[in-house]
Amino acid sequence: MPQLTALDAQFLNIETATNVANIAGLAILDGELDRADLQALLGRRLPYVPALRRRLAPVPFGLDHPYWAQEDDLDLDYHVREIGLPRPGDDRQLAEQVSRLHARRLDRSRPLWEIYLVHNLSGGRTGLYTKIHHAAVDGIGGADVLAALLDTTPEPPTGREDPPPGMGETPGRDEPPPGQAEMVARGLARLAANPARAVRFVAEAVPHLDEIPVVSWLPGARPLSGLARRLAGAGGVPGLPALPAPRTPFSGPVSQHRRFAYVSLPLEEVKAVRKAFGVTVNDVVMAVCAGALRGWLAGHGGVPDGPLVAGVPFSLREAGVQEAGNQVTIMIAPLATHVADPVERLHEVRGAMRLIKDRSALAPARWLREFSASMPAALMGLAARSAFALVGETAPPINVIISNVPGPQLPLYVCGNLLLTHYPVSVITDVSGGVNITAFSYNGSLDIGVVTDRTMVPDAWELAAHLRAALDDLLDAESSLPH
């Protein structure tokens, strides 16, 4: 009887008319894809993807986190939809349509996902926009959902017994959730245990106070955190710098409206920079984002004197573990937008990323999950929304979310159609600000999706163009090195 974890439930609780917790991807396929063929493929693959077969089963009075109930009569006509762009549909028209779809909340009485086929793209292409709620999957889990639609050859297996590539045996059937009386009893028992759980979280959180946004700024938080680590025998764990987020045009509460744009960068160019300057691919991605944000800010109010603060999601999944739900935390890192020289900026970014990786390796940052678990379920909804509103209005802890998800480096197919590119479409909130930049590497390409708030960054394509320019700056620096 799978139950949402406290962290899963938080993604439900934070939702308002403006904070929408959808994570999605826009795949662009070579050729025309028929809706009936896609539904048939889904019918064969659904047994391997539990997240697509589950709907919420709320606990009476909100006393506990909801359960997942398996949906036996899944309505694929509802979940798989199709729309057409005016011919010839271009990239901006496609992105505008995705912007509208991404801002809409999912129906919580049904399994929390939708797929849209977008027809009439120029060049005979088809768009495939897949949206799922963050309560059901994290970024890695979302990639697994996409993988269920993909094949490694143009001729997909036709037998119902054939699993998707890379997936094992069919998962067993979920046990049904408990009855309402048992749900209430369990909720009351959890509520009684919450004070002890909260006390335990406070005790365990002290060594990690410098990781927690807003809390880390409180007077004495950082010295206390360092002292607690030394007393616990973790003196070798590096401390994190104080990172007050400067105000930018995309800081603060977001509106109901989104903008989306995308760009593909050759992975071989990213790797050329990586090799030339002795950094990682992720360092290059972060530096490209820093350069792009600097370029955009220079034309929209000026570049802050200090670094922006980026929220960088990290997976807590252990290798080989396919546990459902969210296994993710977020670390904060300075983003050297204030540094004019692109190479110096790259090395500043490298130092910041190395610090938080070393810190996470020595003491994994699990405070987000543990904090969520310490809150009484009955109060989480109101508390989460109130906290989001207050922090977003007064002291946003970060300026931007940046994520880099490695993907497969071989051609993949959906119903025989080649997957050309896959652009992530992620989340913006009052707390994170009005920009999210997420990259996904696929078959020699770094596909980057940019989500913005329409009132803060009206032209997301302008920001996407700065990503290309920022990589060009690094390539120019690389070409000037002695070879």
Side-chain angles (χ1 to χ4, degrees):
M1 58 188 78
Q3 184 179 18
L4 276 73
T5 67
L7 182 54
D8 297 338
Q10 283 282 38
F11 289 107
L12 294 173
N13 293 326
I14 66 170
E15 279 201 319
T16 63
T18 57
N19 291 290
V20 179
N22 298 327
I23 56 176
L26 173 64
I28 298 181
L29 308 175
D30 185 19
E32 294 289 338
L33 178 56
D34 184 77
R35 179 171 178 247
D37 290 341
L38 180 61
Q39 288 177 321
L41 177 65
L42 275 166
R44 295 193 299 271
R45 300 291 171 82
L46 279 172
Y48 301 93
V49 193
L52 300 185
R53 297 182 286 119
R54 292 171 174 168
R55 58 175 171 77
L56 293 171
V59 175
F61 314 114
L63 287 175
D64 204 353
H65 309 309
Y67 289 79
W68 291 116
Q70 185 161 309
E71 180 63 76
D72 293 320
D73 188 21
L74 195 65
D75 184 359
L76 289 180
D77 285 335
Y78 172 84
H79 287 281
V80 182
R81 310 176 184 188
E82 57 186 344
I83 53 180
L85 299 178
R87 293 183 186 273
D90 60 25
D91 288 343
R92 286 181 178 260
Q93 289 173 307
L94 175 60
E96 180 65 24
Q97 191 63 251
V98 169
S99 301
R100 296 191 188 101
L101 297 174
H102 198 61
R104 298 177 187 171
R105 295 175 64 176
L106 289 158
D107 182 351
R108 294 192 181 184
S109 69
R110 298 176 180 267
L112 295 175
W113 62 276
E114 295 171 354
I115 293 179
Y116 289 81
L117 273 172
V118 187
H119 298 292
N120 301 339
L121 287 183
S122 60
R125 301 169 299 157
T126 301
L128 186 66
Y129 169 74
T130 305
K131 175 169 69 173
I132 189 165
H133 200 283
H134 215 322
V137 295
D138 54 23
I140 301 298
D144 290 341
V145 170
L146 172 68
L149 300 176
L150 298 172
D151 292 291
T152 55
T153 65
E155 297 79 28
T158 57
R160 183 174 292 273
E161 70 281 358
D162 294 317
M167 293 192 176
E169 297 299 318
T170 308
R173 178 180 173 79
D174 292 341
E175 293 185 24
Q180 293 205 337
E182 186 178 348
M183 283 184 181
V184 170
R186 292 184 180 201
L188 290 173
R190 186 190 294 268
L191 189 62
N194 258 113
R197 188 178 290 114
V199 170
R200 185 168 62 251
F201 166 74
V202 171
E204 294 174 351
V206 171
H208 305 282
L209 294 180
D210 58 344
E211 298 173 9
I212 304 176
V214 180
V215 173
S216 63
W217 307 345
L218 298 177
R222 291 178 179 279
L224 179 60
S225 179
L227 175 61
R229 287 197 299 276
R230 290 192 295 274
L231 292 175
V237 177
L240 298 174
L243 296 172
R247 299 297 296 192
T248 69
F250 42 84
S251 297
V254 297
S255 73
Q256 291 179 284
H257 306 290
R258 302 292 182 263
R259 283 285 186 257
F260 174 63
Y262 47 86
V263 63
S264 291
L265 304 177
L267 198 55
E268 63 180 13
E269 294 182 359
V270 174
K271 290 181 177 179
V273 174
R274 172 196 64 78
K275 183 177 180 181
F277 297 105
V279 297
T280 68
V281 166
N282 191 62
D283 294 335
V284 179
V285 172
M286 295 293 295
V288 165
C289 293
L293 289 164
R294 175 183 172 87
W296 187 90
L297 286 165
H300 297 270
V303 180
D305 293 334
L308 297 191
V309 178
V312 184
F314 274 82
S315 176
L316 296 175
R317 290 180 184 272
E318 298 179 8
V321 175
Q322 298 295 322
E323 188 175 350
N326 285 271
Q327 303 292 321
V328 68
T329 191
I330 190 165
M331 297 288 281
I332 55 175
L335 197 63
T337 48
H338 62 304
V339 177
D341 181 79
V343 176
E344 183 182 348
R345 187 186 311 127
L346 173 62
H347 288 298
E348 288 270 347
V349 166
R350 180 197 184 204
M353 296 307 297
R354 178 177 288 179
L355 176 62
I356 65 172
K357 287 178 182 176
D358 289 347
R359 173 67 180 264
S360 183
L362 293 168
R366 304 181 186 275
W367 62 266
L368 181 60
R369 189 170 67 188
E370 292 162 356
F371 172 73
S372 299
S374 73
M375 291 286 291
L379 300 178
M380 275 183 64
L382 178 61
R385 288 187 290 274
S386 299
F388 255 61
L390 177 62
V391 172
E393 285 280 3
T394 58
I398 57 180
N399 298 110
V400 60
I401 296 283
I402 299 176
S403 184
N404 177 33
V405 181
Q409 296 305 305
L410 74 164
L412 297 170
Y413 301 83
V414 179
C415 296
N417 299 86
L418 176 65
L419 174 67
L420 299 172
T421 51
H422 181 266
Y423 301 104
V425 193
S426 199
V427 179
I428 57 174
T429 68
D430 294 346
V431 170
S432 65
V435 173
N436 181 300
I437 305 173
T438 302
F440 181 78
S441 55
Y442 162 66
N443 196 28
S445 178
L446 188 71
D447 299 332
I448 306 177
V450 179
V451 177
T452 70
D453 177 84
R454 188 180 73 181
T455 61
M456 297 174 173
V457 182
D459 187 359
W461 289 100
E462 180 186 357
L463 182 54
H466 281 294
L467 291 165
R468 175 68 261 183
L471 179 58
D472 287 342
D473 289 342
L474 288 169
L475 289 169
D476 289 343
E478 182 270 337
S479 65
S480 66
L481 294 175
H483 290 83

